Amino acid sequence: MARLLNRPIRVLALRGGAPAAFVVLDSRHARGDPGASSGGRARRVRRAAAVLDEWREAGRWWAGEGEKSVYRLLLEDGAVCEVERDEATGRWSLYKVYD
């Protein structure tokens, strides 16, 4: 089973183009809300132990989405997730987490 999240992330480090570490942002950070940093919750840094797979997707072209780079990661805590980078905007998101 997998959960679709599609949550914005901030990539802290890259290894060979793939995220090596990231934090999940709340919606205020994603919108650039100036109040997002005040009183916000500390987010846990998620570190990748390995890249299990990587590929490119065309995106939902009919909805105006562009190409995306997708990485399936094994995290240090044993979790498996997919993160994606929108190639047009440069934005990263945590797309899916596997149970």
Side-chain angles (χ1 to χ4, degrees):
M1 295 274 298
R3 289 178 290 146
L4 297 179
L5 300 177
N6 207 24
R7 302 269 313 271
I9 62 174
R10 178 180 301 133
V11 174
L12 304 175
L14 292 172
R15 185 181 317 122
F22 65 90
V23 292
V24 179
L25 303 175
D26 64 27
S27 59
R28 293 183 306 157
H29 281 97
R31 291 191 314 261
D33 186 336
S37 61
S38 60
R41 296 181 299 265
R43 296 288 185 177
R44 183 169 55 133
V45 175
R46 308 301 303 260
R47 298 187 189 284
V51 175
L52 301 176
D53 200 1
E54 62 183 271
W55 64 93
R56 296 186 61 105
E57 294 183 352
R60 298 179 320 155
W61 53 267
W62 61 92
E65 287 183 357
E67 190 170 83
K68 297 179 182 196
S69 295
V70 183
Y71 300 89
R72 184 171 296 139
L73 304 175
L74 171 63
L75 302 180
E76 286 182 342
D77 64 5
V80 175
C81 67
E82 290 178 11
V83 298
E84 60 185 22
R85 181 179 189 271
D86 183 308
E87 294 299 327
T89 65
R91 291 189 180 122
W92 288 90
S93 62
L94 173 61
Y95 177 67
K96 186 185 296 186
V97 175
Y98 293 88
D99 297 332

